[in-house]
Amino acid sequence: MTAPSPVYLDNHASTPVDPRVVEALLPYFTERFGNPASAQHRYGWEADAAVDVARRQVAALLGADVTEIVFNAGATEGNNLALMGALAVAAEEGRTHAITQATEHKGVLLPLAEWERRGQGSVTVLPVDSTGMVDPAAVEAAITEKTAIVSVMAANNEVGTLQPLAEIGAICKARGVLFHTDAAQAVGKVPLDVKAAGIDLLSLSAHKLYGPKGVGALYVRRKGPRVALRPQILGGGHEWNLRSGTLNVPGIVGLGKACALAAEELESDARRIAALRSDLLAGLRRVAGDLRVNGHPERRLAGNLHVTFFAQPQSVMRAIMQRVAVSAGSACTTATDEPSHVLRAIGLSEDDCRTSLRFGLGRFTTAEDIDRALNEMAAVVAKQAVG
Ligand SMILES: *Cc1c(COP(=O)(O)O)cnc(C)c1O
């Protein structure tokens, strides 16, 4: 007999594909495998029509127009095109400065670091407070006449903090600066409206919202202002010349379906998941003693629970991770022992990092999963106590 699979509580890393998404996309591998660019025959038309449907589904979830959705391979690619593409255009008129904040994903921080390293411009990385929030007034104060773009994520992937997007969007609008948001963790989890929040560019990824891996989209505003980007991948001119390469039709169909489901179920999912999260937190206090919840107490993703344990040693974290699929929430407990830039930015000490875990609940997390995870953790703690 094989051991039962560990309970999956790592939905910030990736989510299982919803069976309804799998069902929708499967025919596009087999009978409807055409290239949407083949305009001469039915195989092409079918694929093209399916991409159109998906584009409408993605646009609808964001409050965008279909002409504003650029399909790609995920949020890392979207971040790179948004930042490098917008900076390349703005630099032609002498605007070479970008503003971001300390808890961004590496997919934002590293393209901007590269922009600086090549001597093309400068980047301001703003600090966050102990809850992980950036201060909109600090964003405003950092804007100069050289600033081209502000990039602030919608929801943090480690501690779940939601950033004040609408406030930052309004500031950017008033100052004539583009506003990009990496919304990989937020899309399908919290309501988002690109027009209401003044967002000009938004990156998303299907595998974070119960869709397949390796597919995503970038929202690119068309009006007020029309955002110009320099493409980073050149070729056949797909996706309005912004991202060449034959479209991943099954992936795109899956992303569209995932967005349509999220539009329907986001609120009920969030309510149910938040209740499970409270149960998990109460259980953790019982099982593991003194702890602190990291991130923002209210402005947070329903499924995120990031905890520093004060009564347990690092060895317990390692043992838990062998029985429950959670994340260290940092690289602290890996071989490199490098503290997470997110946890350091919110002020955790290296010791606190070492006894912190990230729990990520999702659409398919059940009450039984929470019970099983707590039982496993209780067993780990009991064994540790015995020595
Ligand atoms: C997962 C994630 C990404 C990367 O998305 P991919 O589609 O895997 O490239 C970027 N930003 C955040 C906040 C994420 O959570």
Side-chain angles (χ1 to χ4, degrees):
M1 215 180 86
T2 55
S5 6
V7 176
Y8 188 76
L9 293 178
D10 204 11
N11 282 278
H12 301 299
S14 197
T15 57
V17 182
D18 191 300
R20 296 167 291 180
V21 169
V22 176
E23 192 189 342
L25 67 77
L26 278 180
Y28 294 88
F29 282 113
T30 50
E31 63 265 31
R32 292 181 228 152
F33 58 84
N35 186 331
S38 301
Q40 319 305 327
H41 52 68
R42 197 174 119 190
Y43 294 89
W45 304 332
E46 277 174 354
D48 190 48
V51 170
D52 275 353
V53 170
R55 210 182 288 283
R56 233 176 292 138
Q57 291 167 319
V58 177
L61 183 62
L62 304 175
D65 187 79
V66 287
T67 59
E68 299 178 310
I69 303 302
V70 175
F71 288 119
N72 60 22
T76 302
E77 190 191 323
N79 290 341
N80 274 262
L81 173 57
L83 297 168
M84 297 308 237
L87 282 166
V89 171
E92 287 173 358
E93 25 181 85
R95 299 203 299 159
T96 55
H97 176 234
I99 299 169
T100 189
Q101 59 87 31
T103 68
E104 292 293 318
H105 192 270
K106 291 286 167 75
V108 164
L109 293 175
L110 293 190
L112 291 178
E114 179 66 11
W115 179 254
E116 250 185 341
R117 194 194 63 81
R118 291 182 194 159
Q120 291 173 292
S122 63
V123 179
T124 301
V125 182
L126 295 170
V128 292
D129 66 17
S130 62
T131 70
M133 291 253 275
V134 68
D135 180 1
V139 174
E140 173 141 50
I143 294 174
T144 73
E145 67 281 6
K146 286 209 153 223
T147 307
I149 190 164
V150 169
S151 184
V152 174
M153 71 200 321
N156 184 263
N157 47 298
E158 288 192 41
V159 295
T161 302
L162 304 178
Q163 295 292 355
L165 296 188
E167 288 90 328
I168 296 169
I171 289 164
C172 291
K173 197 111 300 176
R175 300 292 297 270
V177 171
L178 293 178
F179 179 34
H180 166 254
T181 188
D182 174 350
Q185 294 290 341
V187 171
K189 316 290 170 57
V190 293
L192 269 179
D193 183 308
V194 288
K195 300 283 142 68
I199 295 163
D200 298 310
L201 293 153
L202 177 149
S203 314
L204 65 89
S205 181
H207 78 100
K208 303 288 175 71
L209 71 146
Y210 315 103
K213 292 170 183 61
V215 60
L218 179 68
Y219 158 78
V220 184
R221 182 185 284 272
R222 287 267 169 184
K223 278 199 292 243
R226 191 182 99 78
V227 177
L229 298 178
R230 178 76 38 76
Q232 308 293 296
I233 300 177
L234 305 172
H238 306 77
E239 299 297 277
W240 297 286
N241 265 324
L242 285 174
R243 200 277 192 176
S244 286
T246 300
L247 299 187
N248 171 3
V249 178
I252 288 167
V253 168
L255 169 58
K257 182 70 180 178
C259 287
L261 292 172
E264 291 286 319
E265 299 176 7
L266 174 162
E267 282 180 34
S268 54
D269 275 356
R271 262 196 308 276
R272 199 182 54 79
I273 291 167
L276 290 175
R277 174 185 180 273
S278 312
D279 294 346
L280 176 59
L281 177 56
L284 288 176
R285 290 194 203 279
R286 216 162 47 232
V287 161
D290 191 22
L291 58 80
R292 180 187 60 225
V293 178
N294 297 311
H296 197 282
E298 290 107 36
R299 293 189 47 88
R300 57 178 310 110
L301 292 170
N304 176 279
L305 181 58
H306 195 287
V307 167
T308 299
F309 296 96
F310 295 117
Q312 305 298 333
Q314 189 179 10
S315 57
V316 164
M317 305 302 122
R318 291 209 191 88
I320 287 173
M321 284 190 286
Q322 285 174 7
R323 293 172 178 234
V324 184
V326 295
S327 158
S330 69
C332 303
T333 56
T334 67
T336 62
D337 218 37
E338 189 188 304
S340 146
H341 71 281
V342 174
L343 300 185
R344 295 314 295 269
I346 63 169
L348 264 66
S349 68
E350 286 196 33
D351 279 348
D352 284 354
C353 285
R354 292 199 174 89
T355 58
S356 296
L357 290 178
R358 177 186 75 181
F359 299 86
L361 286 63
R363 180 182 288 163
F364 299 104
T365 306
T366 63
E368 196 213 334
D369 288 338
I370 301 299
D371 287 346
R372 263 181 67 202
L374 286 168
N375 286 339
E376 294 284 3
M377 289 187 273
V380 167
V381 170
K383 205 162 164 191
Q384 170 77 26
V386 171

